[in-house]
Amino acid sequence: MMPRKARVVEVPAIGQLDRQAGRLSQQLAQALRAAINKGELKAGDLLPSTRRLSAALRLARGTVLEAFAQLTAEGFLAPQPGSGTRVAGSLAPRRVRLSPAKSPSAAAPPLAEQAQRLARFAAQVRPLPPVPFAVSVPIGETAPDDIWRRLGNRIRARGPGAPSGYGDPMGALPLREALCEYVRRSRSVSCTPQQIIITSGTQQGLYLAAQILLDAGDAAWVEDPAYSGITAIFDNVFRDRRMIRVPVADDGIDVAAGAGLAAQARAAFVTPSHQYPLGMPMSMAKRTALLAWARERQAWIVEDDYDSEMRYAGHPFPSLQGLDPDRVVYLGTFSKVLFPSLRLGYAIVPPPLVDAFCGARMLMDRHPPSADQHVLAAFIAEGYLDRHIRKMRGVYAEKRRVLIAAIDAHLDPELAWLQPCDQGMHTVLWLKAGFDDLQVAERANRAGLALRAVSPMYAVGHGKPGLVLGLGGHSDRAVDQAVQKLGQVIRACAAPAP
């Protein structure tokens, strides 16, 4: 059943009528006429009754009737017997042209440098349309819509999922208890519910970690290449902290290189289970070396475990946090395995950091929304999440196989080839040296695809041309056709200029 639309619009502020000047019906008619011209009142809108409007404006009802009659005669209003008076359906908003002296943009103060940087970043990371090869597009056959809806109805009817007063800045206790058991079983994470802070996704967790772990002048290691969400935090917000880009080898971050660049760094931000964007896991040797460096230098490690559940060969790698719970801040999210719009993630922090994370969270947005936390808690505790992930692994493994087959069939291996990877919800397609991957992505997106370039994820001067391809959300035929279209774009970009 469709929700019922409000029948009567709220009339925009009429402004102060000049009662000393008289002719109140003409003043009211002019105010309503201006509202229609500016689009504040739209064609078909139902106006309040003359009785209600006269009471609201403290005018005689005859004055309002006279104004309505004038606007009806001019064609602005259309009385409908038995159903009130509406704005005439044939009217289109008439934009009022302002002189340059009165233009709002001319009078606006100049944007601060910080605002300009953030605006540029927003333009770079706006969501791509849900077409091949957008990342994190939920697949219909794995979306938990029906189960989620039933749990939500049951829990809200019972009470705890209904919004009420302010919540705990750490998040709902039932969700933290369910998460504690889940990450112990699935990721070998060692924690208590009192160490878990529910966030609005990994991005908020990264922001909080950079804010809390580092003081002005401190250095932090960040992988090269890396997720743009972490590099942008240092480039655009915490510019008084030093970001040290540490190269990534085939088995993870190069700890020796990091020590040579900034041995005294206070933190390292890593994606050890599934390096972003390249996809390889960090070897046990590199994990041991990274933890040894952190212990020696009294540094923190921030482990972004964004989609480790999606491993297609063998079991997912255990977490780095499980090897040293007192040194690692562990970040997880449900954006990948459930749906991005849920906006729920979590940070598992060593006990000395709990109060700091709570304080920072309260300053940011006080606490996460309550209702969905209780639904998610039940989804985990009643075993639905484990079943959902098992099903997703099978579906995405097949999607990955279809994508690889299409690339083998339609792309020239001299121009483009896949990065080896057996997990995650995206893969990297490398392009031959000399390609401008930004240009390839732009042309492909204009052709109806959804791609991001890899080179901007590297430090300046280190970039390699490539494309991030998401696996999900589309039929086998759609994927095959999209790869054919991508091949045409790549060949066109490889052709010499006439």
Side-chain angles (χ1 to χ4, degrees):
M1 183 175 178
M2 293 293 290
R4 186 175 296 175
K5 184 179 178 181
R7 295 188 59 203
V8 180
V9 298
E10 292 293 331
V11 174
I14 297 298
Q16 189 67 36
L17 299 178
D18 187 350
R19 298 177 187 273
Q20 298 298 321
R23 307 175 74 179
L24 293 176
S25 66
Q26 292 187 23
Q27 292 186 49
L28 177 58
Q30 177 55 35
L32 291 172
R33 191 183 296 114
I36 294 170
N37 282 334
K38 289 188 290 185
E40 294 172 355
L41 290 174
K42 298 181 180 179
D45 280 349
L46 178 63
L47 298 184
S49 67
T50 55
R51 191 182 306 278
R52 179 180 162 193
L53 193 56
S54 64
L57 297 176
R58 293 184 293 114
L59 295 173
R61 187 181 177 206
T63 301
V64 178
L65 285 167
E66 187 177 341
F68 274 34
Q70 176 63 33
L71 292 174
T72 299
E74 295 176 9
F76 282 91
L77 300 183
Q80 298 178 344
S83 61
T85 300
R86 295 181 182 272
V87 177
S90 60
L91 289 177
R94 306 175 189 180
R95 298 192 178 276
V96 179
R97 298 180 65 85
L98 299 176
S99 65
K102 296 182 180 179
S103 170
S105 60
L111 287 180
E113 183 182 344
Q114 173 79 338
Q116 295 178 49
R117 278 193 299 271
L118 290 172
R120 287 193 294 268
F121 174 67
Q124 295 167 8
V125 297
R126 290 192 190 282
L128 295 173
V131 298
F133 301 92
V135 179
S136 299
V137 175
I139 295 177
E141 56 196 301
T142 62
D145 294 345
D146 291 340
I147 295 171
W148 189 268
R149 190 178 301 109
R150 289 200 303 271
L151 283 175
N153 292 340
R154 188 189 81 197
I155 289 168
R156 290 182 178 90
R158 198 166 64 193
S164 54
Y166 289 115
D168 189 329
M170 295 182 70
L173 181 58
L175 176 56
R176 290 186 282 124
E177 290 174 337
L179 272 172
C180 189
E181 175 62 17
Y182 168 71
V183 296
R184 181 192 65 78
R185 286 186 290 102
S186 66
R187 304 296 301 119
S188 301
V189 167
S190 175
C191 70
T192 67
Q194 289 68 41
Q195 292 174 250
I196 300 178
I197 294 91
I198 304 302
T199 66
S200 297
T202 298
Q203 187 63 45
Q204 187 179 66
L206 291 169
Y207 187 99
L208 291 171
Q211 181 182 31
I212 292 164
L213 302 181
L214 304 168
D215 287 324
D218 285 344
W221 294 1
V222 173
E223 295 169 320
D224 189 20
Y227 169 54
S228 60
I230 180 60
T231 57
I233 287 173
F234 287 97
D235 286 337
N236 298 295
V237 183
F238 299 122
R239 291 181 298 123
D240 56 352
R241 284 81 155 167
R242 294 188 297 128
M243 176 173 58
I244 308 300
R245 302 300 300 273
V246 181
V248 171
D250 289 341
D251 60 346
I253 191 169
D254 189 335
V255 179
L261 292 167
Q264 301 295 334
R266 292 282 296 143
F269 290 78
V270 293
T271 51
S273 294
H274 184 217
Q275 202 282 332
Y276 192 90
L278 303 184
M280 76 284 287
M282 187 184 296
S283 68
M284 188 54 66
K286 287 289 179 66
R287 291 170 187 241
T288 301
L290 181 61
L291 290 169
W293 165 80
R295 284 191 289 267
E296 180 184 353
R297 300 297 182 179
Q298 290 294 292
W300 301 102
I301 297 172
V302 180
E303 179 178 10
D304 178 359
D305 206 29
Y306 64 98
D307 72 350
S308 59
E309 297 92 346
M310 304 305 293
R311 184 168 173 81
Y312 308 119
H315 294 286
F317 278 75
S319 69
L320 197 60
Q321 192 268 3
L323 300 175
D324 195 342
D326 294 330
R327 189 70 54 194
V328 178
V329 173
Y330 179 91
L331 304 179
T333 181
F334 293 98
S335 294
K336 300 292 190 294
V337 296
L338 287 177
F339 26 79
S341 60
L342 183 60
R343 304 314 309 142
L344 283 177
Y346 51 96
I348 299 176
V349 306
L353 294 174
V354 170
D355 288 342
F357 269 80
C358 282
R361 180 65 201 267
M362 289 191 72
L363 285 175
M364 182 173 287
D365 58 359
R366 189 175 284 270
H367 66 82
S370 299
D372 280 338
Q373 290 187 70
H374 290 277
V375 180
L376 180 56
F379 192 81
I380 297 171
E382 296 179 25
Y384 292 113
L385 181 61
D386 289 328
R387 278 175 269 174
H388 174 70
I389 289 173
R390 285 196 297 270
K391 184 176 182 180
M392 283 189 69
R393 283 193 191 124
V395 172
Y396 275 88
E398 176 61 17
K399 294 294 180 185
R400 176 175 172 271
R401 185 197 66 77
V402 169
L403 177 62
I404 291 172
I407 288 173
D408 288 343
H410 302 304
L411 297 190
D412 182 350
E414 295 294 320
L415 299 179
W417 58 95
L418 284 174
Q419 166 77 27
C421 178
D422 62 0
Q423 67 184 90
M425 299 172 73
H426 76 273
T427 189
V428 169
L429 182 73
W430 292 115
L431 300 174
K432 184 180 178 181
F435 269 98
D436 181 345
D437 57 353
L438 288 167
Q439 180 193 46
V440 175
E442 182 183 355
R443 286 196 185 186
N445 293 347
R446 286 204 307 266
L449 304 179
L451 294 159
R452 295 198 191 277
V454 171
S455 63
M457 301 178 194
Y458 283 87
V460 175
H462 294 184
K464 300 176 183 178
L467 303 167
V468 176
L469 308 183
L471 298 182
H474 308 285
S475 69
D476 295 353
R477 178 176 173 80
V479 170
D480 190 78
Q481 292 174 339
V483 172
Q484 291 185 53
K485 188 180 294 184
L486 176 58
Q488 294 169 1
V489 172
I490 291 174
R491 288 191 294 274
C493 291

